[in-house]
Amino acid sequence: MEKKTILSIQKKKDEREPIVALTCYDAYTGRLIDQAGVDVALVGDSLANTRLGYPNTIPVTLEEMIHHVRASSRGVKQALLVADMPFQTYEAAPWKAAVAAGRFLKEGRAQAVKLEGGERVADSIKAILKANVPVMGHLGLTPQSIYQEGGYRVHGRKPQEARRLFNEAKLLQKLGVFALVLEGVPGNLARRISRALRIPTIGIGAGVGCDGQVLVLDDLLGFSESPSPKFVKKFANLRPLMEKAIRAYRSDVLRRRFPGPQNTYQ
Ligand code: KIV
């Protein structure tokens, strides 16, 4: 199978074929999702909470993200590899955004970057594209705005906010982003945006009317102890299984039942 590109992702939209995106964080999960045939492997800044133990996505650094993108690139052979730009690496100064984005391609071996926001970050998007780095947009619930917003919530329920979201989606397309993540957006609004755009939309908590879907790998696999939001479907519940295996190991070591003769060299 050939390596997926931003063109093959666009082709999927043109041919009305759903795009399958999923997060990964290292070579192991990169290989896992790649071999399962996903189209887009996103090293999300959800790395912050899923793997690094931060309370939200604000603290994760550029260096931490590049480290995990580079590791993921060793496992991802076919999917389009997209790196999430962490908080405060692209908002303040467009030239800094371009330099940070470039590092994801050069050092992280990603094929594109993703960043959150619309008009507010338009100059940074322009600078990144000018530096020859493809950009995926992200509108609706943007987790890096948690302190500005005072929490996480569905965006676009009120007509004025829906209009703003719609216009920002059109603006991002005009600027040249190759795809757009819509997060925490009412299904009918996400469908309307998806129909109005030439570029693909990838939904998370935005209903089936998007051109593709993305989930956090850990949510899909049921790694987490905490309850999932409504939009998550646990396709497996691995945490109890993993915990059981670890408890069984501990118990066998304590009772000297492990290692047995079959695990011992003669
Ligand atoms: O950080 C992330 O994992 C994301 C997606 C789930 C869209 O941004």
Side-chain angles (χ1 to χ4, degrees):
M1 235 207 190
E2 274 179 19
K3 180 80 173 157
K4 308 240 165 91
T5 65
I6 62 170
L7 297 182
S8 42
I9 300 306
Q10 179 64 50
K11 191 158 171 265
K12 289 210 152 202
K13 163 133 186 173
D14 298 342
E15 295 178 353
R16 292 169 194 271
E17 214 186 306
I19 296 159
V20 184
L22 197 52
T23 67
C24 64
Y25 306 106
D26 52 29
Y28 178 79
T29 53
R31 193 175 310 116
L32 188 68
I33 70 166
D34 197 62
Q35 289 179 350
V38 307
D39 299 309
V40 179
L42 169 68
V43 185
D45 64 349
S46 51
L47 169 75
N49 18 339
T50 58
R51 297 302 157 81
L52 301 186
Y54 295 128
N56 53 45
T57 58
I58 302 298
V60 68
T61 66
L62 180 61
E63 301 307 322
E64 286 168 332
M65 284 298 300
I66 290 175
H67 178 74
H68 283 263
V69 173
R70 193 176 170 89
S72 300
S73 78
R74 297 185 199 110
V76 175
K77 301 295 173 208
Q78 287 159 12
L80 179 79
L81 183 60
V82 180
D84 221 354
M85 297 194 69
F87 180 66
Q88 284 303 315
T89 58
Y90 59 92
E91 301 93 327
W95 73 268
K96 279 193 182 169
V99 171
R103 289 190 64 195
F104 277 115
L105 269 61
K106 212 162 172 86
E107 297 169 46
R109 301 186 182 165
Q111 289 158 276
V113 297
K114 174 172 88 57
L115 55 83
E116 298 180 4
E119 198 173 354
R120 174 175 73 78
V121 290
D123 288 342
S124 296
I125 293 177
K126 283 188 211 159
I128 296 170
L129 289 169
K130 212 165 156 197
N132 235 350
V133 177
V135 178
M136 178 183 272
H138 185 158
L139 291 175
L141 190 168
T142 48
Q144 291 174 16
S145 306
I146 181 170
Y147 295 137
Q148 182 83 325
E149 288 280 336
Y152 302 129
R153 64 176 177 89
V154 174
H155 283 245
R157 280 193 170 134
K158 293 190 187 125
Q160 196 187 353
E161 200 176 53
R163 248 191 323 274
R164 206 184 65 231
L165 248 173
F166 190 91
N167 290 339
E168 290 211 301
K170 293 283 267 186
L171 169 71
L172 289 188
Q173 171 171 277
K174 195 165 159 212
L175 290 177
V177 308
F178 74 90
L180 174 62
V181 169
L182 291 174
E183 180 166 356
V185 174
N188 53 2
L189 174 61
R191 184 185 296 276
R192 237 172 9 96
I193 293 174
S194 305
R195 285 188 180 157
L197 295 188
R198 184 180 24 81
I199 57 168
T201 59
I202 300 183
I204 174 162
V208 76
C210 294
D211 302 304
Q213 299 294 328
V214 63
L215 275 181
V216 168
L217 179 67
D218 295 36
D219 291 342
L220 171 163
L221 294 177
F223 271 10
S224 171
E225 288 160 290
S226 37
S228 312
K230 176 186 168 82
F231 65 81
V232 168
K233 177 172 172 183
K234 275 191 189 178
F235 287 82
N237 193 14
L238 297 188
R239 195 189 153 83
L241 287 180
M242 293 192 293
E243 198 182 318
K244 196 169 160 206
I246 295 163
R247 285 186 188 283
Y249 162 70
R250 177 173 179 269
S251 161
D252 275 13
V253 170
L254 290 177
R255 291 178 168 79
R256 298 193 193 283
R257 280 204 231 119
F258 176 82
Q262 69 277 31
N263 313 112
T264 305
Y265 295 110
Q266 301 304 323

